């Protein structure tokens, strides 16, 4: 049986059975109480036993996990307090990722893979607008139009507005106001940098599930510092998409001696804030079922109550750092959190939550039979990797040596909805121009020829339309104003 040593105190040691690693977990506590180091300890522990790890780095201070740590007086004291038999500085195999492609390899997925449910939440659409977005995806499927990036989606929305009456019978009313609202939200999303996330090459899930030649699980570290600042909703959407993709694509794993993959989601409350009930229900379902695929999910937040109760009740590992209780509301939270642990007769859990020192925590794990152990008060062991971030030079050196160098760095823009709709527009424009020229020719042949030194207003308008015929605006002029002048279609 493989175990991860979490911490200890006064002869008591807390170890996580690796076979229970897919039963999920929670790390919580106030700012500055040691959550980040605890997260680092668990991540390197899983890596050491051959489990790949995906880790979201919110504050930018976890990249040191790729470097060996250094012993000092504080480390030595913590080793003594926890009862560690030895401290062996070691680096962990790490791949750096970044949605914006600055601090790591770019992370992308397509509009089609995100789907209308997550995209509606990301765009903060109401029910009517969400219905129009669902119609957009259905129209794309029915017409073989690939939705890969934001310009594909914008082009299709524009086309839907132009053909709303024709589409109404099959897809329902497509209100111009809803289309306009979606387009405006897309502009906001683009301003937040989302165009970097939507596109190809899309992230291959196998690339975050690697084991190195020494049998260590590779840690995929997402630098989310800029992402959570610019667009916290996009960060949450990415995490939810990742969960959904893993659930849909991984085979059933059954009971195993360790997980296939573990995910650490910092600032977990962002996944659930303002999410509609349909999306929350979907998240709860995936979290409940994904453990059968061999995936463990670990949430990190200031309070465990930031996570819905239905998910909180499924968590096997609970690590609670200190909470502060300055108000009656805070005191109620502390009481509620204390009640989530299995009682330990020798420990006042509620009082301990307020007394915990930095790096100290209340911990409960699962026994082999799946039952929770009584809560223990322990010091979290020190990580054997570097505490603190890499330098810019170290980060760049890692990227240069990365096995994925060149695979994701350049965006690919293949033929998709935008290009196909543009081709259709050009063909329609050419047909309109030919129709106009034919009507003009017939009109001229039926009228007596007159010598003129100046062109008429109608001829000038026709020439102007011909020059702009390739553009969307030009097509609308031809079909509208000129169509009525020459007796054509409107």
């Amino acid at each position: 049986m493989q175990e991860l040593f979490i911490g200890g105190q006064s002869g008591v040691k807390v170890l996580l059975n690796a076979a229970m690693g897919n039963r999920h977990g929670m790390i919580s506590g106030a700012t500055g109480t040691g959550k980040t180091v605890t997260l680092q300890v668990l991540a390197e522990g899983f890596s050491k036993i051959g489990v790949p790890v995906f880790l979201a780095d919110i504050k930018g201070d976890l990249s040191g996990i790729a470097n060996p740590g250094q012993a000092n007086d504080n480390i030595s004291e913590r080793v003594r307090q926890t009862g560690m038999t030895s401290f062996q500085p070691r680096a962990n195999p790490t791949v750096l990722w970044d949605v914006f492609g600055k601090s790591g390899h770019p992370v992308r997925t397509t509009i089609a893979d995100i789907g209308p449910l997550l995209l509606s939440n990301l765009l903060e659409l109401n029910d009517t607008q969400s219905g129009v977005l669902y119609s957009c995806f259905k129209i794309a499927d029915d017409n073989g139009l690939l939705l890969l990036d934001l310009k594909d989606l914008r082009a299709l929305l524009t086309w839907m507005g132009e053909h709303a009456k024709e589409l109404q019978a099959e897809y329902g009313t497509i209100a111009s106001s809803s289309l306009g609202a979606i387009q405006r939200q897309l502009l906001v999303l683009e301003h937040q940098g989302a165009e970097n996330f939507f596109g190809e090459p899309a992230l291959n899930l196998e690339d975050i599930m690697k084991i190195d030649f020494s049998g260590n699980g590779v840690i995929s570290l997402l630098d989310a510092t800029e992402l959570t600042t610019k667009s916290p909703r996009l960060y949450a959407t990415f995490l939810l998409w990742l969960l959904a993709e893993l659930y849909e694509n991984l085979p059933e794993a059954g009971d195993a001696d360790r997980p296939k993959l573990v995910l650490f989601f910092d600032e977990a409350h962002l996944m659930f804030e303002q999410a509609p009930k349909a999306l929350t229900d979907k998240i709860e379902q995936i979290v409940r079922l994904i453990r059968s695929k061999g995936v463990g999910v670990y949430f990190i937040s200031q309070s465990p109550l930031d996570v819905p109760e239905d998910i909180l009740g499924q968590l096997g590992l609970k690590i609670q750092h200190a909470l502060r209780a300055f108000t009656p509301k805070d005191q109620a939270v502390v009481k509620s959190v204390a009640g989530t642990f299995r009682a330990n007769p020798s420990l006042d859990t509620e009082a301990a939550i307020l007394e915990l020192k930095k790096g100290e925590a209340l911990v409960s794990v699962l026994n082999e039979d799946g039952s929770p152990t009584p809560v223990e008060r322990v010091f979290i062991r020190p990580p054997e990797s570097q505490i603190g971030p890499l330098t810019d030079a170290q980060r760049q050196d890692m990227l240069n040596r990365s096995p994925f160098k060149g695979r994701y760095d350049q965006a690919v823009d293949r033929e998709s909805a935008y290009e196909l709709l543009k081709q259709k527009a050009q063909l329609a424009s050419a047909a309109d121009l030919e129709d106009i020229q034919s009507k003009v020719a017939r009109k001229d042949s039926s009228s007596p020829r007159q010598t003129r030194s100046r062109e008429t207003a109608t001829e000038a308008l026709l020439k102007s339309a011909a020059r702009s015929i390739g553009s969307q605006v030009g097509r609308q002029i031809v079909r509208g104003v000129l169509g009525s002048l020459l007796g054509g279609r409107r």
Side-chain angles (χ1 to χ4, degrees), residues 19 22 209 246-247 249-261 289-296:
N22 66 334
M209 300 183 68
L246 289 167
Y247 174 69
N249 290 281
L250 292 180
E252 292 289 327
D255 294 328
D257 62 348
R258 59 190 174 184
K260 286 184 177 180
L261 173 71
L289 298 176
I290 200 170
R291 70 184 185 189
S292 67
K293 306 296 183 88
V295 177

Side-chain angles (χ1 to χ4, degrees), residues 26-95:
M26 180 87 198
I27 304 170
S28 54
T31 301
T33 56
K35 296 192 301 296
T36 299
V37 171
T38 301
L39 167 59
Q40 187 169 340
V41 165
L42 288 176
E44 70 177 25
F46 277 115
S47 173
K48 192 173 183 178
I49 63 171
V51 178
V53 175
F54 180 88
L55 186 60
D57 184 7
I58 298 294
K59 296 184 288 291
D61 53 3
L62 280 169
S63 56
I65 202 169
N67 273 355
Q70 293 183 347
N72 54 43
D73 291 344
N74 291 333
I75 294 291
S76 299
E77 175 61 17
R78 186 52 55 88
V79 168
R80 184 193 66 78
Q81 289 174 326
T82 58
M84 285 183 73
T85 55
S86 66
F87 177 82
Q88 184 62 48
R90 67 189 299 272
N92 298 278
T94 305
V95 175

Side-chain angles (χ1 to χ4, degrees), residues 402-476:
S402 170
F404 302 129
K405 180 177 172 59
R407 183 177 302 184
Y408 294 100
D409 298 336
Q410 295 298 321
V412 176
D413 188 14
R414 63 187 173 114
E415 186 177 74
S416 50
Y418 172 80
E419 288 77 16
L420 292 175
L421 291 172
K422 185 177 179 181
Q423 290 174 16
K424 288 183 179 181
Q426 290 171 342
L427 291 173
S429 298
D432 285 342
L433 179 59
E434 184 178 349
D435 186 42
I436 291 170
Q437 290 173 337
S438 175
K439 289 179 180 178
V440 170
R442 290 198 301 272
K443 190 175 182 70
D444 287 346
S445 63
S446 63
S447 303
R449 291 187 174 272
Q450 299 178 7
T451 302
R452 299 189 302 270
S453 59
R454 297 175 57 187
E455 61 185 6
T456 66
T458 300
E459 290 171 334
L461 187 57
L462 286 171
K463 288 183 178 180
S464 175
R467 285 193 297 269
S468 62
I469 201 70
S471 68
Q472 180 183 3
V473 174
R475 293 202 318 278
Q476 291 173 342

Side-chain angles (χ1 to χ4, degrees), residues 122-247:
L122 177 60
L123 297 174
E124 302 180 65
L125 304 182
N126 60 32
D127 290 345
T128 302
Q129 295 158 359
S130 296
V132 171
L133 189 63
Y134 271 85
S135 296
C136 180
F137 276 76
K138 183 67 166 63
I139 290 169
D141 290 342
D142 291 348
N143 291 273
L145 299 172
L146 289 175
L147 296 177
L148 303 180
D149 51 29
L150 290 180
K151 72 176 186 300
D152 288 329
L153 183 57
R154 283 196 297 265
L156 183 53
L157 290 169
T158 299
W159 183 85
M160 288 169 60
E162 295 172 349
H163 298 82
K165 289 185 178 179
E166 304 163 37
L167 298 169
Q168 183 174 349
E170 187 171 354
Y171 302 100
T173 301
I174 300 174
S176 58
S177 58
S178 293
L179 291 171
I182 297 172
Q183 293 278 30
R184 288 192 296 273
Q185 289 300 97
L186 288 175
L187 291 175
V188 173
L189 200 60
E190 186 174 10
H191 179 71
Q192 295 171 347
E195 74 275 6
N196 296 284
F197 179 57
F198 294 111
E200 292 184 318
L203 176 66
N204 186 340
L205 295 180
E206 292 181 358
D207 288 342
I208 63 170
M209 300 183 68
K210 299 293 186 181
I211 297 173
D212 74 358
F213 62 89
S214 300
N216 297 302
V218 175
I219 297 175
S220 296
L221 184 70
L222 174 71
D223 186 338
T225 51
E226 186 177 358
L227 180 61
T228 51
T229 301
K230 279 189 172 182
S231 181
R233 273 185 176 266
L234 182 58
Y235 167 70
T237 300
F238 167 72
L239 299 184
L240 297 175
W241 166 81
L242 183 59
L243 271 178
E245 286 293 296
L246 289 167
Y247 174 69

